[in-house]
Amino acid sequence: MAQTPGLDLEGMLLALNPFIENQAEGSKEREALKLAQAALLYIQDSAQEDDFAKYYKKFSDTSFTVEVSHDFATREEADQWLVSGKARDSERVRIAGKGFMVVQAQGRLLFMVAPLPEELKTDEDWKEEPE
């Protein structure tokens, strides 16, 4: 069995045992833990550790980025692009510095306000405001 650095399936399988044993026979919790253990065994037995490690790394990545496909100076410019047929549902754009998402509603594409990460206040921003 190949070992993937940072992914100790053997250790994880063994770590689940005491939790499984502490759950009542036939309980949903016990079955869920056994299913998790079986999933780890499947990954291991089918030599999918590298693929799973990549998936898990992406899954557990807490960085948040939003890809902005277009930056428009004015709403008029953005509206022209929207009706041009080039816009796609869920596409993120910036119009005059503000974030929007293209959404399909009632058979046509519209802009929905969708603030970009830089527009959102952080915890520090809230603390700095006068009371």
Side-chain angles (χ1 to χ4, degrees), residues 55-86:
Y55 172 81
Y56 185 72
K57 182 178 180 185
K58 207 176 352 177
F59 170 82
S60 58
D61 182 7
T62 58
S63 65
F64 181 69
T65 59
V66 173
E67 185 178 328
V68 175
S69 64
H70 298 292
D71 212 330
F72 301 102
T74 66
R75 178 63 184 246
E76 292 76 27
E77 185 182 336
D79 286 339
Q80 287 176 356
W81 171 78
L82 189 66
V83 298
S84 73
K86 296 177 185 175

Side-chain angles (χ1 to χ4, degrees), residues 12-111:
M12 295 297 163
L13 287 163
L14 293 173
L16 286 172
N17 283 335
F19 295 100
I20 292 170
E21 292 166 7
N22 285 333
Q23 300 302 318
E25 192 70 43
S27 69
K28 288 183 180 181
E29 293 81 3
R30 185 179 185 113
E31 293 307 309
L33 290 164
K34 287 170 59 177
L35 180 64
Q37 201 171 47
L40 292 174
L41 279 168
Y42 175 81
I43 292 165
Q44 185 181 60
D45 292 347
S46 61
Q48 298 294 316
E49 288 184 49
D50 290 338
D51 288 341
F52 180 73
K54 290 174 194 169
Y55 172 81
Y56 185 72
K57 182 178 180 185
K58 207 176 352 177
F59 170 82
S60 58
D61 182 7
T62 58
S63 65
F64 181 69
T65 59
V66 173
E67 185 178 328
V68 175
S69 64
H70 298 292
D71 212 330
F72 301 102
T74 66
R75 178 63 184 246
E76 292 76 27
E77 185 182 336
D79 286 339
Q80 287 176 356
W81 171 78
L82 189 66
V83 298
S84 73
K86 296 177 185 175
R88 299 290 171 246
D89 188 47
S90 301
E91 199 167 355
R92 300 293 297 266
V93 299
R94 186 180 294 114
I95 304 171
K98 302 288 183 189
F100 291 84
M101 179 184 292
V102 175
V103 294
Q104 186 163 2
Q106 299 176 342
R108 62 188 184 120
L109 295 176
L110 307 165
F111 287 119

